[in-house]
């Protein structure tokens, strides 16, 4: 008895590796991040993402009607999670470890993609990413810096009035400025220098 065409197709390599649902969606999101790292926001196309995910363009458009919608979801799914800040016994060591984690997030694939978007997109597109930046980057990192400083106040190695919003802008502002303008990759020595020369003097309790 001959083998039916349907049965043959079901056993073909193409059919066996065909992806659907969440697996395909994850492949598309990862391809979008890859494309941002290679060609940037302006060079990213839905066709290029489809090719990177090894799927058809229709499969991408069926889920995301525009590249803004796609990139927002790719960044939201891929940005590293910043949970609790380690307690290493001093504000200096706590900040050093936290800055290492922030550096890892900045230079992760989603972090690089986010910086590419912010650098290249226009004001209209930037508005779409504002909420994501606040909820996925600014609020989590500020919460952890605030946690470290409050812990330092309780230990007595941070002055009691060091909880102003501007204090928590210093590290992110320096890291973003040096990364974007000076092309710094923030070695451990660079982080230590920033903490020892800027943050520790800024936070240190005054002499009685």
């Amino acid at each position: 008895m001959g083998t039916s065409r349907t049965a043959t197709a079901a056993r073909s390599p193409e059919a066996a590796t065909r992806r659907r649902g969440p697996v395909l969606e994850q492949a598309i999101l990862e391809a979008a991040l890859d494309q941002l790292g290679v060609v940037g926001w302006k060079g990213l196309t839905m066709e290029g993402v489809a090719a990177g995910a090894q799927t058809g363009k229709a499969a991408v458009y069926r889920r995301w009607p525009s590249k803004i919608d796609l990139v927002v979801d790719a960044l939201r799914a891929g940005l590293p999670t910043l949970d609790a800040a380690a307690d290493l016994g001093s504000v200096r060591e706590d900040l050093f470890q936290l800055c290492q984690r922030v550096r890892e997030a900045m230079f992760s694939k989603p972090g690089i993609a986010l910086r590419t978007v912010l650098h290249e997109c226009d004001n209209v597109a930037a508005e779409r990413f504002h909420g994501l930046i606040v909820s996925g980057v600014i609020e989590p990192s500020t919460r952890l810096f605030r946690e470290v400083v409050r812990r330092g106040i309780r230990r007595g190695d941070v002055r009691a009035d060091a909880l102003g919003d501007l204090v928590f802008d210093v590290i992110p502002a320096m890291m973003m400025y040096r990364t974007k303008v000076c092309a710094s990759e923030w070695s451990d020595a660079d982080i230590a220098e920033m903490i020892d020369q800027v943050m520790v003097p800024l936070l240190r309790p005054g002499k009685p």
Side-chain angles (χ1 to χ4, degrees), residues 48 122 136:
D122 57 27

Side-chain angles (χ1 to χ4, degrees), residues 11-155:
R11 292 197 300 267
S12 70
E14 180 181 358
T17 59
R18 186 176 295 130
R19 298 158 301 169
R20 294 185 176 87
V23 174
L24 176 57
E25 290 178 2
Q26 183 61 34
I28 294 171
L29 294 175
E30 291 179 0
L33 295 179
D34 288 336
Q35 286 287 300
L36 283 169
V38 174
V39 301
W41 167 257
K42 293 180 180 178
L44 183 142
T45 64
M46 303 293 262
E47 292 81 0
V49 171
Q54 297 182 339
T55 189
K57 181 173 63 175
V60 180
Y61 276 109
R62 192 158 51 242
R63 292 162 173 82
W64 295 279
S66 71
K67 78 174 187 177
I68 294 181
D69 296 312
L70 171 59
V71 171
V72 167
D73 279 358
L75 291 171
R76 183 179 291 117
L79 284 173
T81 301
L82 294 173
D83 43 23
D87 185 351
L88 302 176
S90 74
V91 69
R92 195 265 182 199
E93 296 306 317
D94 291 353
L95 285 175
F96 183 80
Q97 195 266 2
L98 182 52
C99 285
Q100 287 179 314
R101 292 174 60 195
V102 171
R103 176 188 62 190
E104 291 171 5
M106 287 176 63
F107 288 94
S108 66
K109 186 191 297 184
I112 292 171
L114 178 58
R115 286 190 282 119
T116 297
V117 168
L118 294 177
H119 180 66
E120 295 186 12
C121 69
D122 57 27
N123 291 336
V124 174
E127 283 295 317
R128 286 290 308 275
F129 294 105
H130 178 72
L132 172 65
I133 294 166
V134 170
S135 63
V137 179
I138 296 175
E139 288 181 347
S141 60
T142 300
R143 175 178 54 81
L144 294 189
F145 283 122
R146 193 178 296 273
E147 178 184 330
V148 166
V149 170
R150 282 178 172 158
R151 187 188 299 149
I153 293 173
R154 291 194 298 269
R155 280 195 302 248

Side-chain angles (χ1 to χ4, degrees), residues 142-187:
T142 300
R143 175 178 54 81
L144 294 189
F145 283 122
R146 193 178 296 273
E147 178 184 330
V148 166
V149 170
R150 282 178 172 158
R151 187 188 299 149
I153 293 173
R154 291 194 298 269
R155 280 195 302 248
D157 57 357
V158 173
R159 57 188 175 84
D161 61 346
L163 290 172
D165 290 340
L166 290 178
V167 172
F168 303 111
D169 286 343
V170 173
I171 289 177
M174 287 189 65
M175 293 187 77
M176 285 300 296
Y177 167 76
R178 292 282 294 275
T179 299
K180 185 173 180 179
V181 178
C182 306
S184 170
E185 295 186 357
W186 284 101
S187 67

